[in-house]
Amino acid sequence: FPPNPTSAEQQGYFDKAKKAGEMEGEGKKDAKIAAVLSALRGAEEKGHPIDIASFHEVNDMDAFARGLLANAARHGVTIVDGSAPGSENATTGYVLHRGPWMRTGNQEANRVQNENYPILVRADKFALQKTEQIPTHGEQRGTPIDVPGDNTINTDAGLPRPLILYALKSKEPGKEGAPPLKVAVVHTKPGGSTKQKGKDDVVVKQRRDIWQQVENAYKHAAQHANDTG
């Protein structure tokens, strides 16, 4: 600050700092999208195309989708938005399925984290049959259940998020009648790890605590898949 800055000068400084932070964040997002597209293209060029790519903690789904779709062609990749009419008829490239919108936190105070767990699937190999959620707490823990009609999942603060389950039907010749492939996407993070960075014993313990949050959901989901074929 200059000596004895006015309120307007201070606010101008803070506004510039905020804008710089936003631009840095956008740059990082663009770099991540470029890395995803490069990986898809690189695998295809080597003859081992990626069939399914999953993502977690996408806080702005619309921006993420726009970034993928706007930059895909430049990387030699074709991507269709699964929310667009006719996307189910795509036969080349990838289809982006957004999944439900998840809101986690204090719902009444509107202090929530918004995120999606989308996936990209090969358009010539899979068609989305259904999207479900697998709760990780409560009486329904570990059992696939429907996503609410408004496609929004609310989770209270302090509770682990559900797994998002995508059931994918094969489009390959001769496999049309096969049971769907079920892909579950989950994300957790160790609370407080940034405050104790470098303490491996603490991080390991936190990872174990996190596994305990979702372990039964995984086991029950696996059993449910076996029972239902």
Side-chain angles (χ1 to χ4, degrees), residues 44-87:
E44 177 109 15
E45 289 177 345
K46 292 181 179 180
H48 302 286
I50 296 172
D51 290 339
I52 302 169
S54 65
F55 308 87
H56 60 67
E57 206 169 4
V58 175
N59 301 118
D60 189 336
M61 187 62 226
D62 287 339
F64 180 74
R66 286 196 303 270
L68 280 176
L69 297 173
N71 292 281
R74 184 160 55 88
H75 289 265
V77 180
T78 300
I79 297 179
V80 176
D81 192 337
S83 64
S87 60

Side-chain angles (χ1 to χ4, degrees), residues 150-169:
D150 62 358
N151 206 39
T152 301
I153 299 173
N154 294 309
T155 303
D156 290 335
L159 295 175
R161 303 173 183 87
L163 284 67
I164 302 303
L165 185 67
Y166 296 91
L168 305 172
K169 288 289 290 182

Side-chain angles (χ1 to χ4, degrees), residues 102-115 136-137 153-162 189 213:
M102 294 194 291
R103 306 179 77 249
T104 306
N106 188 329
Q107 310 290 333
E108 293 183 1
N110 201 30
R111 292 197 297 268
V112 297
Q113 180 176 355
N114 299 309
E115 56 190 15
T136 53
H137 58 86
I153 299 173
N154 294 309
T155 303
D156 290 335
L159 295 175
R161 303 173 183 87
K189 59 184 177 182
Q213 294 178 11

Side-chain angles (χ1 to χ4, degrees), residues 181-197:
L181 172 67
K182 295 184 177 181
V183 178
V185 186
V186 62
H187 167 61
T188 57
K189 59 184 177 182
S193 64
T194 54
K195 296 179 182 178
Q196 306 185 59
K197 191 174 181 180

Side-chain angles (χ1 to χ4, degrees), residues 191-209:
S193 64
T194 54
K195 296 179 182 178
Q196 306 185 59
K197 191 174 181 180
K199 295 186 178 182
D200 293 339
D201 57 331
V202 174
V203 174
V204 168
K205 181 182 184 302
Q206 290 167 341
R207 294 294 185 186
R208 288 172 179 162
D209 291 344

